[in-house]
Amino acid sequence: MKTRLEEIIKRRGLERKIIARDLEIERRTLDNYINEVTLMNSDIITKLAKYLNVSTDYLLGVDTLEDEFLNEKIDTICNELKEMVFHLNHKK
């Protein structure tokens, strides 16, 4: 699972500290999940899958995201949303 989780975080340009904050877990805990030091329970797998907009099967290595075009579109939309949120937060 390390490969999948780490891969999608890098590909989408996400920061671990932001993911940990959003999921209300310690950054060290997320690092331990990524490095397979700590096994994830079903709740955290589900939360991560929803957060990253992938299936739990994908995170578990059962399923693959075959459509590269779809992957690129998902990444583009995620980056656009991050930009929107950034600009909204700085208009205050």
Side-chain angles (χ1 to χ4, degrees):
M1 192 167 340
K2 173 184 177 184
T3 306
R4 290 275 173 93
L5 186 53
E6 190 170 41
E7 171 191 313
I8 199 161
I9 289 170
K10 284 182 181 178
R11 187 168 27 123
R12 295 202 178 151
L14 301 172
E15 293 184 44
R16 291 182 185 189
K17 67 180 178 182
I18 303 299
I19 296 169
R21 182 201 68 205
D22 291 347
L23 296 179
E24 299 177 343
I25 60 174
E26 295 291 325
R27 159 70 192 266
R28 179 177 28 190
T29 302
L30 179 60
D31 289 341
N32 286 342
Y33 292 149
I34 292 169
N35 295 317
E36 296 183 329
V37 172
T38 304
L39 293 177
M40 291 187 272
N41 63 35
S42 60
D43 290 337
I44 194 65
I45 292 170
T46 302
K47 285 181 182 180
L48 277 165
K50 285 181 182 179
Y51 185 88
L52 297 170
N53 199 29
V54 296
S55 69
T56 53
D57 283 350
Y58 177 78
L59 285 181
L60 294 169
V62 176
D63 194 10
T64 60
L65 295 174
E66 301 278 336
D67 188 349
E68 194 56 38
F69 176 76
L70 179 59
N71 290 340
E72 289 174 15
K73 287 295 182 188
I74 289 170
D75 292 343
T76 300
I77 291 168
C78 286
N79 288 330
E80 289 172 359
L81 285 172
K82 285 193 314 189
E83 281 293 314
M84 291 165 139
V85 169
F86 175 81
H87 290 295
L88 287 172
N89 285 335
H90 286 85
K91 285 186 177 183
K92 295 180 181 177

